[in-house]
């Protein structure tokens, strides 16, 4: 019997790895002989690098890079088991958690550190990149990242425009002659689960900048800067940024990756599942156990558990989803490919208790064990095709 575990992290509680271990313990209580294949799962956001590194027997590297407000910060990135693919979460270098709430200011925040991480990975021999967008404190169109990679962004006097979203309105010319030459050998896959354009009412500034500390006046200035960036990119480099779906992701980093680094913007969960060779692991399996912190309407819009369930459906494999909590709108998941879903909590408790890693792991284990005992009593192992 083969059971595949592919669970996302329970944010603030259990990592994907620890959640998988707890589920595996529950399985072995009922089916000690089971073949268990555990794959850490992520959707392109937090935990993506860890999931990819763990699943491929890779390793992590650390680097001191420029943080969002120019401060030095320690950042990690992963190198996958093939030795040539780097997994980078942009939030490691320019994420909101790196600055306090009262310091947030996307006019000043820069993505420069993301470019430094890319350069570090190139120096380690990486030529393929998987980038997780999300959680950035920035709205600079990815210009900071490109500056670190050797691109020059100049004002009308030929001087460097500086860093941060405020610099974009001064932009007059873009020069790429000094860009890192090895970028020509590199390919970028970018996890991007939004289709917002670079600027305008649905663009990076108006939709995402307020949560990064922008006032209404800042939002207007940032949006004008992104428009200027797109106009200069078109005029001086022939690069069209205005109509790229997802260009507005992570404060415009989507535009920089797609326009200047020729990146492919993809669904985060599809990118991760492909990198993990998830479908290959499902061959011959009788059950998939997936889940995340909360199963709700957001899950049905393409988050990690649903992506895994869709692959399982191609092989007629039943799917159980476990979560810390389940919203009333989660019922749509049954129609989307999840056979059944269950909360792991056993009774009333405080949020602090529920999120305690030791308590959550015990609940994950016991819920898995009891579900499999029920399936075993119903003759599951002898009647798999009927499930």
């Amino acid at each position: 019997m083969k059971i595949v575990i592919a669970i996302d992290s329970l944010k603030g509680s259990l990592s994907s790895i620890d959640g998988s271990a707890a589920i595996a313990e529950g399985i072995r209580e009922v089916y000690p002989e089971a073949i268990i294949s555990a794959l850490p799962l992520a959707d392109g956001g937090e935990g993506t690098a860890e999931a990819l590194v763990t699943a491929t027997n890779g390793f992590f590297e650390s680097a001191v890079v420029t943080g969002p407000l120019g401060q030095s910060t320690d950042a990690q990135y992963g190198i996958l088991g093939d030795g040539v693919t780097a997994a980078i979460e942009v939030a490691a270098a320019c994420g909101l958690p790196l600055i306090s709430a009262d310091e947030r200011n996307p006019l000043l925040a820069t993505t420069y550190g993301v470019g430094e991480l890319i350069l570090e990975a190139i120096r380690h021999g990486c030529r393929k990149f998987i980038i997780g967008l999300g959680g950035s404190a920035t709205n600079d169109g990815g210009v900071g990242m490109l500056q670190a990679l050797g691109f020059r962004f100049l004002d009308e006097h030929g001087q460097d425009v500086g860093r941060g979203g405020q610099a974009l309105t001064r932009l007059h010319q873009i020069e790429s002659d000094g860009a890192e030459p090895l970028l020509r050998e590199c390919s970028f896959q970018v996890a991007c689960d939004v289709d917002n354009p670079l600027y305008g009412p649905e663009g990076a500034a108006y939709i995402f900048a307020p949560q990064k500390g922008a006032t209404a006046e800042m939002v207007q200035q940032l949006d004008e800067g992104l428009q200027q960036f797109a106009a200069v990119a078109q005029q001086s480099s022939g690069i069209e940024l205005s109509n790229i779906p997802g260009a507005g992701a992570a404060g415009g980093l989507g535009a920089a990756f797609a326009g200047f680094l020729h990146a492919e913007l993809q669904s985060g969960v599809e990118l991760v599942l492909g990198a993990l060779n998830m479908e290959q692991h499902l061959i011959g399996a009788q059950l998939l156990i997936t889940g995340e912190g909360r199963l709700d309407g957001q899950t049905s819009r393409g988050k990690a558990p649903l992506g895994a369930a869709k692959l399982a459906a191609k092989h007629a494999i039943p799917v159980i989803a476990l979560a810390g909590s389940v919203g009333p709108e989660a019922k749509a998941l049954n129609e989307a490919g999840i056979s059944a879903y269950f909360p792991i909590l056993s009774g009333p408790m405080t949020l602090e208790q529920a999120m305690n890693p030791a308590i959550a792991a015990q609940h994950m284990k016991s819920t898995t064990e009891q579900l499999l005992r029920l399936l075993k009593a119903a003759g599951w192992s002898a009647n798999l095709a009927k499930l």
Side-chain angles (χ1 to χ4, degrees), residues 346-359:
S346 59
M349 64 184 67
T350 65
L351 179 61
E352 183 179 5
Q353 290 173 321
M355 294 185 69
N356 179 287
I359 294 174

Side-chain angles (χ1 to χ4, degrees), residues 13 25 52 60 64 109 157 180 208-209 240 254 260 266-267 278 292 344:
S13 179
E25 288 183 26
L52 293 172
F60 281 98
V64 177
H157 304 294
E180 167 59 54
F208 303 115
E240 173 57 60
F260 289 84
Q266 312 176 227
S267 157
M278 178 73 176
E292 60 181 349
I344 63 172

Side-chain angles (χ1 to χ4, degrees), residues 188-240:
F188 294 84
Q189 291 179 286
V190 178
C192 177
D193 286 325
V194 300
D195 59 3
N196 300 75
L198 181 59
Y199 59 83
E202 298 298 318
Y206 279 98
I207 299 300
F208 303 115
Q211 68 196 44
K212 303 176 184 184
T215 64
E217 292 77 13
M218 288 181 184
V219 166
Q220 183 175 350
Q221 181 179 346
L222 290 165
D223 189 68
E224 290 172 357
L226 293 172
Q227 290 184 51
Q228 179 70 4
F229 175 36
V232 175
Q234 175 69 48
Q235 180 181 1
S236 65
S237 306
I239 297 172
E240 173 57 60

Side-chain angles (χ1 to χ4, degrees), residues 78-98:
I79 297 181
L80 275 56
D82 62 5
V84 297
T85 302
I88 294 175
E89 296 174 19
V90 301
C94 66
L96 277 172
L98 298 178

Side-chain angles (χ1 to χ4, degrees), residues 98-111:
L98 298 178
I99 51 179
S100 62
D102 59 352
E103 291 180 308
R104 294 176 182 176
N105 186 340
L107 288 174
L108 303 178
T110 178
T111 55

Side-chain angles (χ1 to χ4, degrees), residues 79-215:
I79 297 181
L80 275 56
D82 62 5
V84 297
T85 302
I88 294 175
E89 296 174 19
V90 301
C94 66
L96 277 172
L98 298 178
I99 51 179
S100 62
D102 59 352
E103 291 180 308
R104 294 176 182 176
N105 186 340
L107 288 174
L108 303 178
T110 178
T111 55
Y112 198 90
V114 177
E116 291 175 314
L117 278 182
I118 292 172
L119 289 177
E120 284 288 329
I122 288 175
R123 294 186 188 109
H124 273 86
C126 295
R127 297 296 182 267
K128 297 180 181 179
F129 290 82
I130 295 176
I131 308 292
L133 296 188
S136 80
T138 58
N139 201 102
D140 70 350
V143 165
M145 174 189 72
L146 295 172
Q147 287 171 324
L149 293 174
F151 292 83
R152 298 187 69 206
F153 294 82
L154 309 175
D155 64 18
E156 61 180 338
H157 304 294
Q159 301 299 309
D160 191 288
V161 296
R163 299 179 189 173
Q166 65 180 354
L168 300 186
T169 53
R170 299 193 294 273
L171 182 61
H172 185 74
Q173 184 178 353
I174 301 171
E175 294 183 354
S176 60
D177 293 348
E180 167 59 54
L182 290 175
L183 286 171
R184 300 188 188 97
E185 301 176 14
C186 297
S187 62
F188 294 84
Q189 291 179 286
V190 178
C192 177
D193 286 325
V194 300
D195 59 3
N196 300 75
L198 181 59
Y199 59 83
E202 298 298 318
Y206 279 98
I207 299 300
F208 303 115
Q211 68 196 44
K212 303 176 184 184
T215 64

